[in-house]
Amino acid sequence: MTNPQLTNPQFPELPVVVAGLGVSGISAARVLHGLGARVTVVDGGSGPGLVARAAELEAQGVTVRLGDGASLPEGTELIVTSPGWAPDSALFAAAEAAGVPVWGDVELAWRLRKPLPGTGEPAPWLAVTGTNGKTTTVQMLASILAAAGKRTAAVGNVGVSVLDAVLAEEPYDVLAVELSSYQLHWAPSLRPYSAAVLNLAPDHLDWHGSMEAYAADKGRIYEGNVVACVYNLADPATEALVREADVEEGCRAIGFGLGAPSPSNFGVVDGLLVDRAFIEDRTKNAAELGSVEDVNPPAPHNIANALAAAALARAYGVEPKAVREGLRAFRPDAHRIAEVGVVREVTYIDDSKATNTHAAAASLAAYRPIVWIAGGIAKGATFDDLVQGAAERLRAVVLIGQDRALIREALERHAPDVPVIEAAEGQTGAVAMAEVVRTAASLARSGDTVLLAPACASMDMFTNYGERGDMFAAAVRGLANE
């Protein structure tokens, strides 16, 4: 949807609807209100939490309509939507019929960027998307940029709100921006300086409608890139998105992978991370950026994340020394292949963030032999490929959650000799996890890894993946004290 009158909108007195009263919606409403727009926030919910948030905004002069997320207020000239609102929402159908454009918070932030002092240009965006690894990669990138002496932040779908970042009183030199497929869908004007798609696997298909639509939205991140479109050599679908992108003249396709790189790519040689793209005479030379030991943790998929971050940093002009220093300084967030401890010569790994099969496959590939804790809400996923790829690494499996039967059936087909124990049904929270960890410990042998990589969402048994991981860690600590 387009509206030529909003190519360069004048926000004072502009009638704007903000869809959704979540974190991004509240941020957008406050920003727009501060710009003088006449803001109405709509949300189909009406619970106590929403009522409280609505009262805070109304006290500031923002109109809020709860219990109605479908109808378009009369006179609306722009909708700014929270990322989770699906394209087929009734509100957007009404907007399309009325010729009203729909932006996401990222689109709004992009249009509100301010020139940096002395340059006349806004801070460049180095953007990252992918089915898995986005947060880790963008945080690695921010760490590298900081090591290079740049004022920066990890923003977007992680850390600082992208709106807060572009409107900060003290401007950033460069931004490391994590973007979800939802955010990219609603950001038609976005043109990053350089960008990376880490990988593509089926996810959020209920929102996008098809794998093709999901991939197309991911591919939007490459539009208008200036220096580099960074893609995964092990995932041809990411390279296909580069080929389809409309980029600035001279922008290059830069691949990353775990093998020795060819010219114009990043890779690994004898345990060293190397750049054969942003150097002189790349046909014969390579720049050493660090070693795999500089990556924390040095699991294969995390090394790939580090290479993608390094490629974006080097595209921006960061020196190799800063890449090494930034990777060494980086510490991953909780619940991402985090070692919880070693109890009786068995290592316990928390990768509760592995909420889909693609993430779990990467985690399973990093260890052997494994007692795997898996299960939860499958989100429409199938598990045959995951199990088939990991079968030789499995010592045993402990299944949890409402969709455990899907994983059990895949194990019966592809790993029939692997022992499988199912946790008691009906238990949730700490009690359930304590029993699961004790069961896993009874199956493990000296030198094994007990890996929580559920390949499923957590809300059937826990508040979120963070609580699931926290309770796993607590259960492991309890096991150590027994």
Side-chain angles (χ1 to χ4, degrees):
M1 286 175 278
T2 61
N3 185 330
Q5 295 181 347
L6 283 176
T7 301
N8 295 293
Q10 300 300 309
F11 287 101
E13 297 303 314
L14 186 72
V16 181
V17 165
V18 173
L21 197 50
V23 174
S24 63
I26 291 172
S27 176
R30 287 174 173 162
V31 166
L32 289 161
H33 180 67
L35 293 170
R38 289 189 281 119
V39 181
T40 300
V41 181
V42 300
D43 195 297
S46 58
L50 290 175
V51 170
R53 293 176 211 161
E56 290 182 13
L57 285 178
E58 287 172 333
Q60 298 171 36
V62 174
T63 301
V64 181
R65 289 178 17 180
L66 295 179
D68 179 11
S71 58
L72 184 68
E74 186 175 353
T76 299
E77 294 188 34
L78 171 67
I79 294 176
V80 176
T81 180
S82 299
W85 281 50
D88 60 359
S89 298
L91 179 67
F92 304 145
E96 185 168 21
V100 175
V102 181
W103 298 352
D105 61 326
V106 170
E107 177 73 10
L108 178 62
W110 181 256
R111 290 173 179 257
L112 293 177
R113 294 170 304 143
K114 300 175 182 177
L116 289 172
T119 71
E121 296 291 333
W125 289 19
L126 304 177
V128 178
T129 195
T131 303
N132 294 298
K134 297 184 294 296
T135 297
T136 297
T137 302
V138 85
Q139 289 175 336
M140 285 177 170
L141 175 58
S143 184
I144 293 168
L145 294 168
K150 302 299 180 181
R151 174 168 162 74
T152 190
V155 307
N157 201 39
V158 60
V160 179
S161 157
V162 68
L163 273 171
D164 291 342
V166 300
L167 297 174
E169 289 188 17
E170 184 179 353
Y172 291 98
D173 298 318
V174 57
L175 293 174
V177 188
E178 177 186 341
L179 296 172
S180 70
S181 56
Y182 300 165
Q183 290 171 314
L184 287 162
H185 181 88
W186 300 118
S189 298
L190 177 68
R191 298 294 184 270
Y193 185 76
S194 294
V197 180
L198 303 176
N199 43 61
L200 280 176
D203 204 13
H204 306 303
L205 301 191
D206 53 345
W207 195 95
H208 292 276
S210 68
M211 184 64 193
E212 291 73 21
Y214 172 65
D217 280 333
K218 289 290 193 186
R220 286 175 182 244
I221 203 168
Y222 288 136
E223 292 298 311
N225 283 196
V226 177
V227 176
C229 296
V230 178
Y231 68 95
N232 187 344
L233 291 164
D235 191 337
T238 63
E239 183 178 9
L241 294 179
V242 175
R243 296 183 185 281
E244 296 167 5
D246 184 9
V247 301
E248 292 293 317
E249 186 70 28
C251 182
R252 296 165 57 195
I254 305 296
F256 66 90
L258 299 180
S262 57
S264 291
N265 294 331
F266 283 64
V268 180
V269 177
D270 296 331
L272 299 176
L273 311 181
V274 298
D275 165 9
R276 291 192 68 187
F278 299 105
I279 58 170
E280 292 184 8
D281 195 4
R282 59 183 180 269
T283 60
K284 298 179 182 178
N285 298 321
E288 180 182 331
L289 305 174
S291 72
V292 295
E293 285 77 17
D294 295 322
V295 180
N296 181 24
H301 66 287
N302 213 37
I303 294 169
N305 293 338
L307 289 167
L312 289 173
R314 293 284 286 155
Y316 177 65
V318 169
E319 293 297 320
K321 180 182 178 182
V323 175
R324 183 192 295 268
E325 291 174 352
L327 291 176
R328 286 178 172 175
F330 169 73
R331 294 294 178 269
D333 283 350
H335 315 302
R336 290 170 168 83
I337 51 174
E339 182 174 320
V340 174
V342 179
V343 180
R344 292 182 278 280
E345 300 182 330
V346 173
T347 302
Y348 290 80
I349 301 293
D350 168 15
D351 197 14
S352 186
K353 183 64 172 64
T355 58
N356 58 46
T357 57
H358 190 271
S363 193
L364 286 161
Y367 306 98
R368 70 165 69 213
I370 299 166
V371 177
W372 180 31
I373 300 172
I377 302 172
K379 301 182 293 181
T382 58
F383 297 90
D384 289 272
D385 289 346
L386 174 64
V387 169
Q388 193 169 19
E392 65 174 357
R393 296 173 174 269
L394 300 178
R395 171 83 68 198
V397 180
V398 181
L399 293 177
I400 63 175
Q402 71 177 38
D403 291 331
R404 65 182 74 184
L406 297 174
I407 304 177
R408 184 187 65 241
E409 290 162 4
L411 287 161
E412 290 170 353
R413 286 190 289 270
H414 304 292
D417 296 329
V418 174
V420 177
I421 295 181
E422 297 191 37
E425 294 190 28
Q427 290 186 336
T428 62
V431 172
M433 186 57 79
E435 183 60 31
V436 165
V437 168
R438 280 193 292 270
T439 300
S442 71
L443 295 166
R445 302 178 189 173
S446 175
D448 285 0
T449 296
V450 172
L451 174 63
L452 174 68
C456 292
S458 58
M459 288 78 75
D460 55 334
M461 295 177 64
F462 308 94
T463 303
N464 51 41
Y465 77 82
E467 183 184 73
R468 179 170 62 188
D470 288 341
M471 290 182 174
F472 174 76
V476 172
R477 289 192 294 269
L479 186 69
N481 294 327
E482 290 181 356

